[in-house]
Amino acid sequence: MLRYITTGESHGKHMAAILEGMPSGLHVDLGYINEELHRRQQGYGRGGRQKIEKDNVEILGGVIKGISTGAPIGFLLINKDFKIDEMPDLYRPRPGHADFAGSLKYHQSIRAVLERASARETAMRVAVGALCKLFLREFKIEIASHVLQIGKARIQEDESLTLDKIRKKTAQSQVNCISPETEKAMIAAIDEARRNKDSVGGQYEVRVSGVPVGLGSYVHFERKLDGRLANLLMGMQSVKAVEIGYGTKLAGLSGSQSHDEIFHDAKRGYYHGTNRAGGIEGGMSNGEDIIVRATMKPISTLAQPLASVNMATKQAEKADFERSDVCAVPAGSVIGESLVAYGIADAFLEKFGGDAVIEIRRNFEGYLKQIHA
Ligand code: EPS
């Protein structure tokens, strides 16, 4: 079982994470982890903060000579924009933000709330997720993402999309989009929101290939893989909806249009004719690519603020504004990959157990032999 916890504030001195449960014997490529952190910092629509920061983590423990030891692995990130002690307090909560409920619930200033609620914390989740991706690669499980929609700009659905195609087509994109035409429309939507002193949300998709049949379980609700991935993605700042495969579209389709017929071939083994289920049936992976989508609301910090209440005076006033992003959906998709990597690695370790990669590999290969017999 994997678990991790993060600490740190957006403008505090540090961000940190500890990941527990990663087996021994994994080659920990710090260069790769930092590349993933840089990917998260990209994307058209970001604010001024990303020009200040160049995120790089150092490893605090659990790794010796570049190899995991099985002990908890710690990451440390130092914030360049460390100024929390000089920052003014806010009194007018931003609608849609944690400001309002957070300051009442914790009996704290809005500053204290927003510093921890900030999506800067996702840098640590990406560090943890990058390590999980390295682990999954040992078993030929790969993860990629792309942005489906920003504002009203949406790509044409393409059911023949593969992970390799996604990687190739998004490589040059500023918004992690597979279509150059839609990318233009997405950038225009972000520019328009900026001009209007507004913000814009969207939707991204994460795809995982190489997942064996049988991660997760139908026997108990907490063990369902779709529920576990949804929980992880909903835990990301701004995410308001998660779908697996056809997702909400299924409401308007018949059974025969919704399910994936099963076939067998001597070379391929079992396979499905389509992948409307997004690789998960009965809360378990079914051997097809896992396809998960997350919808992000528009960022709640608005240059033209909405109505709010000054919590010191109870007077009606406009909400506070601070430097922020106009759109963070491209970064969101990188974070989504990391969260899904963590969820799949966790389910994989649950199924194949073991304290060392070598032991897990034996378990994994034995299972593959068993199901393909
Ligand atoms: C964020 C506000 C902005 C974003 C930040 C999330 O930061 P700042 O207040 O310093 O301008 O840039 O995201 C990050 C710093 C990051 O690394 O992703 C917020 O309020 O959530």
Side-chain angles (χ1 to χ4, degrees):
M1 190 186 83
L2 284 176
R3 55 197 168 123
Y4 75 94
I5 191 160
T6 70
T7 182
E9 280 74 35
S10 179
H11 303 95
K13 201 168 180 182
H14 308 116
M15 307 292 305
I18 296 178
L19 173 66
E20 208 277 309
M22 190 50 80
S24 74
L26 179 69
H27 176 65
V28 178
D29 180 348
L30 188 57
Y32 172 75
I33 296 171
N34 284 325
E35 272 169 34
E36 287 289 287
L37 288 168
H38 300 160
R39 279 182 70 218
R40 190 199 71 95
Q41 290 197 276
Q42 306 308 310
Y44 196 85
R46 296 285 248 160
R49 181 73 183 273
Q50 300 315 317
K51 294 189 184 80
I52 302 172
E53 306 291 346
K54 172 108 169 62
D55 293 345
N56 280 304
V57 285
E58 57 179 292
I59 290 177
L60 295 174
V63 179
I64 297 179
K65 293 183 181 165
I67 308 287
S68 66
T69 63
I73 297 177
F75 294 107
L76 180 71
L77 172 67
I78 295 173
N79 284 322
K80 290 204 172 66
D81 204 24
F82 165 42
K83 57 183 182 191
I84 196 166
D85 296 331
E86 293 98 59
M87 294 183 88
D89 198 5
L90 308 182
Y91 296 94
R92 297 162 295 198
R94 291 160 289 182
H97 203 277
D99 296 349
F100 168 71
S103 68
L104 290 174
K105 173 181 165 67
Y106 281 92
H107 194 61
Q108 282 284 327
S109 63
I110 288 178
R111 170 63 57 200
V113 174
L114 77 90
E115 286 292 332
R116 179 62 190 165
S118 166
R120 175 129 189 90
E121 184 262 351
T122 58
M124 301 323 298
R125 299 198 225 180
V126 169
V128 165
L131 198 60
C132 294
K133 283 185 185 176
L134 288 172
F135 170 74
L136 292 172
R137 271 190 186 170
E138 291 284 324
F139 303 94
K140 298 195 167 51
I141 299 174
E142 293 284 338
I143 303 189
S145 72
H146 64 117
V147 171
L148 300 167
Q149 183 168 347
I150 290 179
K152 295 201 168 40
R154 187 172 179 89
I155 61 158
Q156 298 273 340
E157 298 285 329
D158 173 5
E159 301 219 351
S160 71
L161 209 54
T162 61
L163 200 117
D164 284 344
K165 266 199 212 167
I166 292 173
R167 283 203 175 137
K168 272 190 205 119
K169 290 186 169 194
T170 55
Q172 303 304 323
S173 173
Q174 294 186 74
V175 287
N176 203 23
C177 178
I178 57 168
S179 151
E181 294 80 54
T182 314
E183 168 167 20
K184 278 188 204 137
M186 288 176 172
I187 288 176
I190 296 168
D191 286 340
E192 191 190 349
R194 195 190 302 278
R195 263 196 314 276
N196 294 340
K197 301 189 169 176
D198 215 324
S199 63
V200 70
Q203 191 182 51
Y204 65 80
E205 176 175 282
V206 179
R207 185 180 280 253
V208 194
S209 70
V211 182
V213 175
L215 300 193
S217 177
Y218 64 94
V219 300
H220 177 63
F221 74 93
E222 286 173 314
R223 293 176 58 185
K224 288 189 167 233
L225 188 61
D226 37 9
R228 289 159 65 166
L229 296 179
N231 187 12
L232 286 163
L233 287 165
M234 277 287 200
M236 179 187 141
Q237 290 83 341
S238 294
V239 170
K240 296 299 275 184
V242 177
E243 301 178 50
I244 314 276
Y246 270 19
T248 55
K249 196 160 86 178
L250 290 164
L253 298 178
S254 64
S256 58
Q257 295 167 323
S258 304
H259 303 299
D260 306 302
E261 292 181 307
I262 304 168
F263 301 92
H264 186 272
D265 179 287
K267 255 198 190 152
R268 279 176 78 177
Y270 294 108
Y271 67 96
H272 296 75
T274 49
N275 189 12
R276 297 153 175 166
I280 303 182
E281 291 173 299
M284 295 166 292
S285 55
N286 67 3
E288 305 300 333
D289 282 5
I290 290 185
I291 302 172
V292 194
R293 295 171 170 199
T295 301
M296 289 171 67
K297 67 184 177 184
I299 282 168
S300 52
T301 306
L302 303 181
Q304 187 134 289
L306 298 175
S308 185
V309 172
N310 185 320
M311 292 176 83
T313 64
K314 311 283 192 292
Q315 296 301 304
E317 287 174 21
K318 293 289 183 192
D320 279 307
F321 173 73
E322 280 202 342
R323 178 187 68 192
S324 188
D325 305 323
V326 173
C327 177
V329 180
S333 70
V334 177
I335 300 158
E337 280 177 37
S338 307
L339 299 170
V340 170
Y342 173 82
I344 299 291
D346 184 40
F348 191 93
L349 281 165
E350 179 184 275
K351 173 104 185 87
F352 301 110
D355 300 301
V357 171
I358 187 171
E359 182 186 5
I360 296 163
R361 192 180 305 286
R362 222 169 29 238
N363 297 343
F364 178 59
E365 285 169 1
Y367 172 76
L368 291 187
K369 256 191 216 147
Q370 172 198 316
I371 62 171
H372 294 307

